[in-house]
Amino acid sequence: MHEMSIAMAVVGQVEEAAQAAGATAVRSIRLQVGELAGVVPDSLAFCFELACSGTVLEGAELLTESVPGRARCGPCADEWAVGMPPELCCPVCGAAAAELLAGRELQIAGVCWEEGPVPAPTRERIPEER
């Protein structure tokens, strides 16, 4: 399952950036995943949770944004959504000279973390009985 290696790579990159920035916790990560990237979002979410264990990302939310596949025909310049399974022949002229414009993405689009020292736990005083 290559989703685990993807999750570990994402966690490694974010953890490195968070530590360099002095972050105390990572709350969420936005990841763009192209529909042609060959990634199963549910598997990635499961692997991400495991990969975060024991890191500054533990408990972080993974937000995946699906990027639809798009192609452009070389001969007639028509653009279309390729879908799944991908339709790479031009729907207008039938040419098989398609250029993929989008859909193979797999990138970190954003990270939300907390900076500064770890807050000390607060204890509520229990009133004494009189």
Side-chain angles (χ1 to χ4, degrees), residues 2 6 8-9 16-17 25 29 43 46 70 79 92 99 114 117:
H2 73 285
I6 293 168
M8 291 176 68
E16 186 178 311
I29 298 173
S43 296
F46 175 77
R70 293 206 51 79
E79 287 188 21
V92 173
E99 171 192 1
E114 293 178 10

Side-chain angles (χ1 to χ4, degrees), residues 13-45:
Q13 289 179 14
V14 172
E15 187 173 34
E16 186 178 311
Q19 288 174 348
T24 58
V26 175
R27 294 291 167 225
S28 65
I29 298 173
R30 276 188 317 110
L31 194 64
Q32 291 180 331
V33 181
E35 73 176 336
L36 304 175
V39 175
V40 178
D42 288 341
S43 296
L44 181 60

Side-chain angles (χ1 to χ4, degrees), residues 35-36 68-72 80-88 98 100 102-103:
E35 73 176 336
L36 304 175
R70 293 206 51 79
R72 177 185 309 126
W80 68 96
V82 297
M84 279 305 284
E87 176 57 56
L88 299 176
L100 284 175

